[in-house]
């Protein structure tokens, strides 16, 4: 479930729902400041391409440099493009 803030950020940053679904399904998860962060590393991209197929993966590949912040209740708080390496 996207919060209102996350919906606005998705629209502003051009991140579609299928990208959010892929990040949740295949992305690597880390906990930081009490929230879960989902992002795609190389192994996650390989898993996604193997499962989704090359054609479907290529449609969203340019947007997979994004990350999600998920609250304790499971709602997606925000969505952003990853410009630098995430430090944990």
């Amino acid at each position: 479930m996207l919060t209102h803030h996350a919906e606005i950020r998705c629209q502003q940053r051009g991140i579609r729902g299928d990208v959010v679904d892929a990040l949740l399904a295949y992305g690597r998860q880390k906990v930081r400041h009490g929230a879960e962060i989902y992002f795609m590393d190389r192994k996650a991209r390989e898993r996604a391409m193997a499962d989704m197929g090359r054609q479907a993966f290529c449609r969203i590949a340019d947007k997979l440099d994004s990350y999600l912040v998920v609250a304790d209740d499971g709602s997606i708080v925000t969505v952003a493009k990853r410009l630098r390496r995430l430090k944990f």
Side-chain angles (χ1 to χ4, degrees), residues 3 5-7 9 22 28 31 39 41-42 55 57-59 62 64 69 72-73 83 86:
T3 62
H5 176 79
E7 287 177 5
R9 293 295 178 247
R28 190 168 171 202
V31 177
F39 61 97
D41 59 1
R42 186 180 71 235
Q55 196 172 33
F57 179 80
C58 287
R59 280 196 300 260
D62 62 332
L64 291 179
V69 178
D72 291 338
D73 64 355
L83 302 175
L86 294 173

Side-chain angles (χ1 to χ4, degrees), residues 5-50:
H5 176 79
E7 287 177 5
I8 292 170
R9 293 295 178 247
C10 281
Q11 185 179 20
Q12 288 174 339
R13 295 171 177 150
I15 300 171
R16 299 183 320 256
D18 52 353
V19 175
V20 172
D21 293 340
L23 284 167
L24 286 172
Y26 305 107
R28 190 168 171 202
Q29 172 190 359
K30 291 281 189 167
V31 177
R32 174 114 191 219
H33 300 293
E36 297 173 345
I37 299 174
Y38 289 84
F39 61 97
M40 297 291 269
D41 59 1
R42 186 180 71 235
K43 288 185 180 183
R45 288 172 191 263
E46 290 171 0
R47 280 193 313 267
M49 186 163 52

